[in-house]
Every structure is written in structure tokens, then in C-alpha cells.
Amino acid sequence: MPVHYAATGPGEKISEPPQTTRREFLYLATVATTAIGVASLAWPFIDQMDPSSDVIAAGSPLTVDISKVEPGQQILVTWRGRPIFITHRTPMPHGAEIPIDAGSVGRDPQSQAAQQPPYAKNWSRSVKPEFAVLVGICTHLGCIPTFRPTVTADWPGGYLCQCHGSKYDLAGRVFRGVPAPYNLPVPPYRFENDTTLVIGDNPQGSEFSLDDVEQL
């Protein structure tokens, strides 16, 4: 856009706007460049002070909708980088224990080892008997067991680690005569309502973390 100067009377000089000297220009340019450089160097450090969303979420509770998990079905979710088995077990009469093969009584059928929260130290190793919530990592060498719910003459239903043959029942209790030394761990969890499970959060008044288990 052209610059218009105001008209003056006879004999008057036209006043021009002040000109920026070369020295002033170089000074301003140097200051601006330095400021940009400092900002660009500082940004990575500022950015590191703000944790990424995946770092924040790594230890956060996980909410799971279990409304569509039918009896006999299992879903697998990941919490804190670990596979979590959520199994809707076949409805059983109140107080009826999950059967264990009579010839292979579990090493820890009463859940004496600290492999579960205190509120899951019962015959079903769960908050609600119809749902099992287990860390899906074999306590032998860390393999992921296979879910085999179908009962046969040679199999009472449960989990089989095909790596070295460790077996667990539908409550995650380890059988005798297998390499695995402990029951499958039970993570901290609670029911928000009948169809919503929150993994990584204890029921009110309880405290438990995976750091408390004997072997993961």
C-alpha cells in the first residue's frame, strides 16, 4: 500500500517517518533469532515434563463392559501391559465349589498363597462366583495359558499352558504334578454395577496391588 504524506505550506519541508538504522535492524534481528533458538531448545524439555497419554493410562483403572459375555465365554483385555482373562463361568448353585480333578488336587486349593486380594480369597477366587478375573500369565515361565472350558473325561475344564503342561482350573488354581508353583494371580478389581467391571481399582475399604502377589 502506498504511503501518503500530509501536504505542507510553501517553504515547509516534508517530514518523513523515522528510518530504522542498519545497526538497529541487525540488533532486532539478532534478538529475535536468539529468542526463537532458545524457545526451540527449551520445547523438548517442556514437552518431557508433560507425560504422554499412554504413560498416564498405563497404570490407570480399566473399565470393561461385560454385559455381552455369555456363560461359558471369556474375553481378554490388556491392563498395564498384562493379559487379563475375564470369564463368565457357568452358573453354579450358591456355595457349590468349582470342581477340581479328584486325582490332581490343587497345590493351593484354599488360596493360602498371596496370589489374590483378600476379597477374592474364597472358593471361587472372585468377587462374584459367576465371573473369574485372572492375570493370564502362567506362574512357571510367563507363558499365556489357553482357555479350555469344555469338560471331558481327561479334562475338568480350565486353563492349559501348552509350553510346559501346567494346568489350572476355572478359578485359576494350579494342579499338582505340573511345573507352575502358584495359582494364577487375581488383579485388583471391583464391579461398578452388574455389567461394568473396573480392573485396577479395589472395592471401597480395600487395598491391593499386583506388587503384593508372590509370583506373577
Side-chain angles (χ1 to χ4, degrees):
M1 176 182 293
V3 179
H4 298 283
Y5 299 103
T8 60
E12 293 182 356
K13 294 182 179 181
I14 298 176
S15 60
E16 296 181 356
Q19 299 293 321
T20 302
T21 66
R22 177 179 179 81
R23 178 177 296 177
E24 291 172 336
F25 174 81
L26 291 175
Y27 173 76
L28 293 174
T30 301
V31 171
T33 302
T34 302
I36 294 172
V38 171
S40 63
L41 289 174
W43 175 251
F45 297 99
I46 295 172
D47 188 52
Q48 287 179 17
M49 290 187 287
D50 184 18
S52 59
S53 58
D54 56 341
V55 172
I56 295 174
S60 300
L62 176 67
T63 301
V64 183
D65 180 5
I66 57 173
S67 61
K68 297 181 181 179
V69 184
E70 299 293 334
Q73 291 184 340
Q74 174 178 285
I75 61 173
L76 187 151
V77 299
T78 302
W79 174 67
R80 294 180 61 179
R82 297 181 174 93
I84 305 295
F85 296 158
I86 302 174
T87 309
H88 192 169
R89 296 183 285 217
T90 303
M92 294 166 288
H94 179 70
E97 294 192 9
I98 299 170
I100 297 181
D101 184 358
S104 303
V105 179
R107 290 182 179 179
D108 185 17
Q110 303 304 319
S111 302
Q112 297 300 313
Q115 289 292 102
Q116 63 282 312
Y119 49 84
K121 189 178 180 180
N122 49 45
W123 64 268
S124 65
R125 300 189 73 227
S126 62
V127 176
K128 293 184 177 183
E130 62 269 31
F131 281 99
V133 182
L134 304 166
V135 179
I137 298 177
C138 180
T139 56
H140 178 218
L141 292 177
C143 302
I144 300 178
T146 302
F147 178 49
R148 293 192 173 184
T150 303
V151 178
T152 65
D154 301 322
W155 179 247
Y159 299 90
L160 173 64
C161 182
Q162 300 188 42
C163 299
H164 302 95
S166 292
K167 297 189 295 182
Y168 305 85
D169 72 351
L170 288 172
R173 295 177 296 201
V174 66
F175 290 178
R176 288 188 182 275
V178 300
Y182 293 99
N183 296 340
L184 293 178
V186 177
Y189 75 97
R190 65 178 176 84
F191 283 90
E192 189 169 284
N193 51 52
D194 290 341
T195 60
T196 306
L197 184 68
V198 182
I199 301 171
D201 196 13
N202 293 290
Q204 187 174 4
S206 300
E207 293 184 4
F208 178 80
S209 74
L210 284 182
D211 294 334
D212 298 329
V213 302
E214 292 193 27
Q215 184 162 321
L216 184 62

PDB file of all heavy atoms in Angstrom, residues 79-80 82 114 186 188 208-216:
ATOM      1  N   TRP A  79      -4.311 -54.829  30.623  1.00  0.00           N
ATOM      2  CA  TRP A  79      -4.188 -53.800  31.661  1.00  0.00           C
ATOM      3  C   TRP A  79      -2.750 -53.770  32.146  1.00  0.00           C
ATOM      4  O   TRP A  79      -2.188 -54.792  32.504  1.00  0.00           O
ATOM      5  CB  TRP A  79      -5.141 -54.096  32.826  1.00  0.00           C
ATOM      6  CG  TRP A  79      -4.971 -53.160  33.983  1.00  0.00           C
ATOM      7  CD1 TRP A  79      -5.256 -51.829  34.005  1.00  0.00           C
ATOM      8  CD2 TRP A  79      -4.459 -53.486  35.277  1.00  0.00           C
ATOM      9  NE1 TRP A  79      -4.949 -51.286  35.241  1.00  0.00           N
ATOM     10  CE2 TRP A  79      -4.454 -52.290  36.041  1.00  0.00           C
ATOM     11  CE3 TRP A  79      -4.000 -54.665  35.863  1.00  0.00           C
ATOM     12  CZ2 TRP A  79      -4.012 -52.243  37.356  1.00  0.00           C
ATOM     13  CZ3 TRP A  79      -3.556 -54.631  37.180  1.00  0.00           C
ATOM     14  CH2 TRP A  79      -3.575 -53.432  37.908  1.00  0.00           C
ATOM     15  N   ARG A  80      -2.144 -52.593  32.097  1.00  0.00           N
ATOM     16  CA  ARG A  80      -0.744 -52.399  32.470  1.00  0.00           C
ATOM     17  C   ARG A  80       0.172 -53.357  31.717  1.00  0.00           C
ATOM     18  O   ARG A  80       1.136 -53.891  32.255  1.00  0.00           O
ATOM     19  CB  ARG A  80      -0.568 -52.573  33.987  1.00  0.00           C
ATOM     20  CG  ARG A  80      -1.274 -51.512  34.802  1.00  0.00           C
ATOM     21  CD  ARG A  80      -1.088 -51.686  36.291  1.00  0.00           C
ATOM     22  NE  ARG A  80       0.323 -51.611  36.665  1.00  0.00           N
ATOM     23  CZ  ARG A  80       0.778 -51.721  37.915  1.00  0.00           C
ATOM     24  NH1 ARG A  80      -0.088 -51.919  38.908  1.00  0.00           N
ATOM     25  NH2 ARG A  80       2.053 -51.636  38.186  1.00  0.00           N
ATOM     26  N   ARG A  82      -0.477 -56.324  30.671  1.00  0.00           N
ATOM     27  CA  ARG A  82      -0.660 -57.737  31.001  1.00  0.00           C
ATOM     28  C   ARG A  82      -2.017 -58.237  30.505  1.00  0.00           C
ATOM     29  O   ARG A  82      -3.006 -57.514  30.576  1.00  0.00           O
ATOM     30  CB  ARG A  82      -0.553 -57.965  32.507  1.00  0.00           C
ATOM     31  CG  ARG A  82       0.815 -57.617  33.093  1.00  0.00           C
ATOM     32  CD  ARG A  82       0.842 -57.889  34.576  1.00  0.00           C
ATOM     33  NE  ARG A  82       2.173 -57.697  35.128  1.00  0.00           N
ATOM     34  CZ  ARG A  82       2.610 -56.562  35.664  1.00  0.00           C
ATOM     35  NH1 ARG A  82       1.804 -55.499  35.693  1.00  0.00           N
ATOM     36  NH2 ARG A  82       3.821 -56.466  36.151  1.00  0.00           N
ATOM     37  N   ALA A 114      -0.385 -65.684  48.670  1.00  0.00           N
ATOM     38  CA  ALA A 114      -0.868 -64.324  48.356  1.00  0.00           C
ATOM     39  C   ALA A 114      -0.868 -64.089  46.849  1.00  0.00           C
ATOM     40  O   ALA A 114      -0.086 -63.301  46.314  1.00  0.00           O
ATOM     41  CB  ALA A 114       0.010 -63.291  49.058  1.00  0.00           C
ATOM     42  N   VAL A 186      -4.835 -62.919  40.773  1.00  0.00           N
ATOM     43  CA  VAL A 186      -6.081 -62.172  40.601  1.00  0.00           C
ATOM     44  C   VAL A 186      -5.738 -60.694  40.771  1.00  0.00           C
ATOM     45  O   VAL A 186      -5.182 -60.303  41.800  1.00  0.00           O
ATOM     46  CB  VAL A 186      -7.144 -62.580  41.643  1.00  0.00           C
ATOM     47  CG1 VAL A 186      -8.400 -61.732  41.491  1.00  0.00           C
ATOM     48  CG2 VAL A 186      -7.478 -64.064  41.498  1.00  0.00           C
ATOM     49  N   PRO A 188      -6.355 -56.503  41.231  1.00  0.00           N
ATOM     50  CA  PRO A 188      -7.350 -55.701  41.943  1.00  0.00           C
ATOM     51  C   PRO A 188      -8.486 -55.335  40.993  1.00  0.00           C
ATOM     52  O   PRO A 188      -8.246 -54.949  39.851  1.00  0.00           O
ATOM     53  CB  PRO A 188      -6.563 -54.454  42.383  1.00  0.00           C
ATOM     54  CG  PRO A 188      -5.412 -54.380  41.446  1.00  0.00           C
ATOM     55  CD  PRO A 188      -5.075 -55.793  41.084  1.00  0.00           C
ATOM     56  N   PHE A 208      -5.039 -53.307  47.526  1.00  0.00           N
ATOM     57  CA  PHE A 208      -4.297 -54.440  46.985  1.00  0.00           C
ATOM     58  C   PHE A 208      -3.717 -54.011  45.646  1.00  0.00           C
ATOM     59  O   PHE A 208      -4.348 -53.264  44.886  1.00  0.00           O
ATOM     60  CB  PHE A 208      -5.205 -55.652  46.791  1.00  0.00           C
ATOM     61  CG  PHE A 208      -4.516 -56.846  46.187  1.00  0.00           C
ATOM     62  CD1 PHE A 208      -3.735 -57.684  46.965  1.00  0.00           C
ATOM     63  CD2 PHE A 208      -4.646 -57.132  44.832  1.00  0.00           C
ATOM     64  CE1 PHE A 208      -3.094 -58.789  46.407  1.00  0.00           C
ATOM     65  CE2 PHE A 208      -4.014 -58.225  44.264  1.00  0.00           C
ATOM     66  CZ  PHE A 208      -3.236 -59.056  45.065  1.00  0.00           C
ATOM     67  N   SER A 209      -2.507 -54.473  45.344  1.00  0.00           N
ATOM     68  CA  SER A 209      -1.892 -54.224  44.044  1.00  0.00           C
ATOM     69  C   SER A 209      -1.172 -55.480  43.597  1.00  0.00           C
ATOM     70  O   SER A 209      -0.903 -56.390  44.408  1.00  0.00           O
ATOM     71  CB  SER A 209      -0.919 -53.042  44.110  1.00  0.00           C
ATOM     72  OG  SER A 209       0.273 -53.418  44.772  1.00  0.00           O
ATOM     73  N   LEU A 210      -0.819 -55.545  42.321  1.00  0.00           N
ATOM     74  CA  LEU A 210      -0.108 -56.716  41.816  1.00  0.00           C
ATOM     75  C   LEU A 210       1.269 -56.854  42.449  1.00  0.00           C
ATOM     76  O   LEU A 210       1.879 -57.924  42.403  1.00  0.00           O
ATOM     77  CB  LEU A 210       0.014 -56.631  40.289  1.00  0.00           C
ATOM     78  CG  LEU A 210      -1.254 -56.952  39.489  1.00  0.00           C
ATOM     79  CD1 LEU A 210      -0.961 -56.885  37.997  1.00  0.00           C
ATOM     80  CD2 LEU A 210      -1.808 -58.319  39.853  1.00  0.00           C
ATOM     81  N   ASP A 211       1.769 -55.779  43.021  1.00  0.00           N
ATOM     82  CA  ASP A 211       3.059 -55.862  43.712  1.00  0.00           C
ATOM     83  C   ASP A 211       2.979 -56.741  44.957  1.00  0.00           C
ATOM     84  O   ASP A 211       3.995 -57.157  45.507  1.00  0.00           O
ATOM     85  CB  ASP A 211       3.538 -54.468  44.121  1.00  0.00           C
ATOM     86  CG  ASP A 211       3.851 -53.598  42.906  1.00  0.00           C
ATOM     87  OD1 ASP A 211       4.176 -54.169  41.829  1.00  0.00           O
ATOM     88  OD2 ASP A 211       3.770 -52.361  43.022  1.00  0.00           O
ATOM     89  N   ASP A 212       1.750 -57.020  45.402  1.00  0.00           N
ATOM     90  CA  ASP A 212       1.562 -57.817  46.618  1.00  0.00           C
ATOM     91  C   ASP A 212       1.576 -59.315  46.374  1.00  0.00           C
ATOM     92  O   ASP A 212       1.649 -60.097  47.323  1.00  0.00           O
ATOM     93  CB  ASP A 212       0.233 -57.440  47.297  1.00  0.00           C
ATOM     94  CG  ASP A 212       0.203 -55.976  47.731  1.00  0.00           C
ATOM     95  OD1 ASP A 212       1.289 -55.447  48.066  1.00  0.00           O
ATOM     96  OD2 ASP A 212      -0.892 -55.381  47.740  1.00  0.00           O
ATOM     97  N   VAL A 213       1.495 -59.756  45.109  1.00  0.00           N
ATOM     98  CA  VAL A 213       1.423 -61.191  44.842  1.00  0.00           C
ATOM     99  C   VAL A 213       2.800 -61.814  45.003  1.00  0.00           C
ATOM    100  O   VAL A 213       3.848 -61.148  44.876  1.00  0.00           O
ATOM    101  CB  VAL A 213       0.880 -61.500  43.429  1.00  0.00           C
ATOM    102  CG1 VAL A 213      -0.497 -60.891  43.243  1.00  0.00           C
ATOM    103  CG2 VAL A 213       1.830 -61.028  42.356  1.00  0.00           C
ATOM    104  N   GLU A 214       2.817 -63.118  45.285  1.00  0.00           N
ATOM    105  CA  GLU A 214       4.090 -63.816  45.485  1.00  0.00           C
ATOM    106  C   GLU A 214       4.835 -64.040  44.176  1.00  0.00           C
ATOM    107  O   GLU A 214       6.044 -63.942  44.104  1.00  0.00           O
ATOM    108  CB  GLU A 214       3.849 -65.151  46.187  1.00  0.00           C
ATOM    109  CG  GLU A 214       3.378 -64.991  47.626  1.00  0.00           C
ATOM    110  CD  GLU A 214       3.439 -66.298  48.411  1.00  0.00           C
ATOM    111  OE1 GLU A 214       4.272 -67.168  48.058  1.00  0.00           O
ATOM    112  OE2 GLU A 214       2.667 -66.435  49.364  1.00  0.00           O
ATOM    113  N   GLN A 215       4.059 -64.364  43.134  1.00  0.00           N
ATOM    114  CA  GLN A 215       4.718 -64.591  41.838  1.00  0.00           C
ATOM    115  C   GLN A 215       3.775 -64.229  40.709  1.00  0.00           C
ATOM    116  O   GLN A 215       2.614 -64.629  40.703  1.00  0.00           O
ATOM    117  CB  GLN A 215       5.157 -66.048  41.692  1.00  0.00           C
ATOM    118  CG  GLN A 215       5.925 -66.305  40.390  1.00  0.00           C
ATOM    119  CD  GLN A 215       6.723 -67.593  40.464  1.00  0.00           C
ATOM    120  OE1 GLN A 215       7.300 -67.935  41.476  1.00  0.00           O
ATOM    121  NE2 GLN A 215       6.754 -68.319  39.358  1.00  0.00           N
ATOM    122  N   LEU A 216       4.298 -63.460  39.771  1.00  0.00           N
ATOM    123  CA  LEU A 216       3.495 -63.023  38.630  1.00  0.00           C
ATOM    124  C   LEU A 216       4.065 -63.621  37.358  1.00  0.00           C
ATOM    125  O   LEU A 216       5.280 -63.558  37.144  1.00  0.00           O
ATOM    126  CB  LEU A 216       3.509 -61.497  38.545  1.00  0.00           C
ATOM    127  CG  LEU A 216       2.636 -60.866  37.460  1.00  0.00           C
ATOM    128  CD1 LEU A 216       1.174 -61.213  37.697  1.00  0.00           C
ATOM    129  CD2 LEU A 216       2.832 -59.359  37.452  1.00  0.00           C
TER     130      LEU A 216
END
